[in-house]
Amino acid sequence: MSSDKREERTPDEIEAARKLFAGPCDFVSGAASLESLPPVTHPEVAFAGRSNVGKSSLVNALTGRRTLARVSAKPGHTRQVNFFDLAQHLLLVDLPGYGFAQVSRSMKETWQDLASAYLRGRPTLVRVCLLIDSRHGVKDSDRETMKNLDRAAVSYQIVLTKTDQLKAADLPRAVAAAEAVARQHGAAHPVVLPTSSETGFGIPELRAELKAVAGV
């Protein structure tokens, strides 16, 4: 898996993050407009990605819950910015997916405008996890999102999903390819984190990364 710059988390860091994400986690609100965003309180970590990349599954895996974020058989279920309060320390923010949602162009634009406004104007946002399907790599729509995050000067990190569906030999190549893309973007964290919501692979490390960046 590449990378002498990859930071190894200690067992104590992994355990502290496990305890944080095992704490109470409650749905706060779903904002369908900029005016309905909840007030700024705790540090926030947002999850962005294509409509079928597994955002809701990852949020559920991080918190050890099956139904915290609703997983739909139809891509594009998340149609608002959903906020979850983790133990009154950290807000997890599920953004509308982009790509395959079967809705009108005007509705897609409404979601995209809302997500963009949130990303630009949220002072407590400490990290965006940009989810990429490990089987397919970074797509044009992902690159456009990365450009928008660069312009907004929002710190983001690529998180590979669905690695359980890769052959073991293909995983290091998928990580290296995504890291090569990340190096082309000023606001991107250089380390790519591979995960699987199905097997739990990489979930403890992602929890520890998010806890560290949020300073909680």
Side-chain angles (χ1 to χ4, degrees), residues 82-93:
N82 290 324
F83 291 80
F84 303 91
D85 186 329
L86 180 62
Q88 297 187 342
H89 288 301
L90 179 65
L91 287 182
L92 307 178
V93 185

Side-chain angles (χ1 to χ4, degrees), residues 54-211:
K55 286 190 291 88
S56 297
S57 294
L58 185 67
V59 172
N60 290 338
L62 285 168
T63 59
R65 293 162 173 83
R66 292 183 179 273
T67 58
L68 180 67
R70 185 175 175 184
V71 179
S72 175
K74 293 183 178 180
H77 176 79
T78 303
R79 302 187 178 190
Q80 54 192 8
V81 180
N82 290 324
F83 291 80
F84 303 91
D85 186 329
L86 180 62
Q88 297 187 342
H89 288 301
L90 179 65
L91 287 182
L92 307 178
V93 185
D94 190 7
L95 296 173
Y98 52 85
F100 288 125
Q102 299 299 310
V103 296
S104 67
R105 176 174 294 182
S106 62
M107 181 61 73
K108 287 182 184 179
E109 289 174 351
T110 298
W111 297 346
Q112 290 165 359
D113 288 347
L114 174 60
S116 295
Y118 163 78
L119 292 169
R120 286 195 308 270
R122 202 70 176 174
T124 46
L125 179 61
V126 295
R127 176 67 54 84
V128 174
C129 293
L130 180 61
L131 276 55
I132 303 293
D133 189 324
S134 61
R135 301 169 299 173
H136 306 307
V138 179
K139 298 292 189 182
D140 287 345
S141 55
D142 302 315
R143 292 176 187 274
E144 186 61 33
T145 296
M146 295 174 78
K147 290 178 183 177
N148 290 336
L149 290 167
D150 289 339
R151 284 193 288 267
V154 173
S155 173
Y156 61 98
Q157 184 167 18
I158 293 177
V159 176
L160 296 181
T161 63
K162 306 183 183 182
T163 61
D164 56 288
Q165 299 183 38
L166 283 182
K167 294 178 180 178
D170 292 336
L171 180 55
R173 287 193 287 270
V175 172
E179 288 184 339
V181 175
R183 286 194 294 270
Q184 302 169 12
H185 292 269
H189 192 284
V191 175
V192 168
L193 296 178
T195 66
S196 167
S197 299
E198 288 294 318
T199 68
F201 171 72
I203 298 299
E205 292 77 13
L206 178 56
R207 289 181 185 134
E209 174 70 21
L210 299 181
K211 183 179 185 300

Side-chain angles (χ1 to χ4, degrees), residues 1-28:
M1 188 151 322
S2 80
S3 197
D4 51 9
K5 64 184 178 299
R6 190 175 303 282
E7 181 178 353
E8 294 294 332
R9 295 294 173 184
T10 68
D12 286 346
E13 289 175 320
I14 294 289
E15 177 61 12
R18 185 196 66 78
K19 288 180 177 178
L20 172 65
F21 279 84
C25 193
D26 301 305
F27 177 73
V28 175

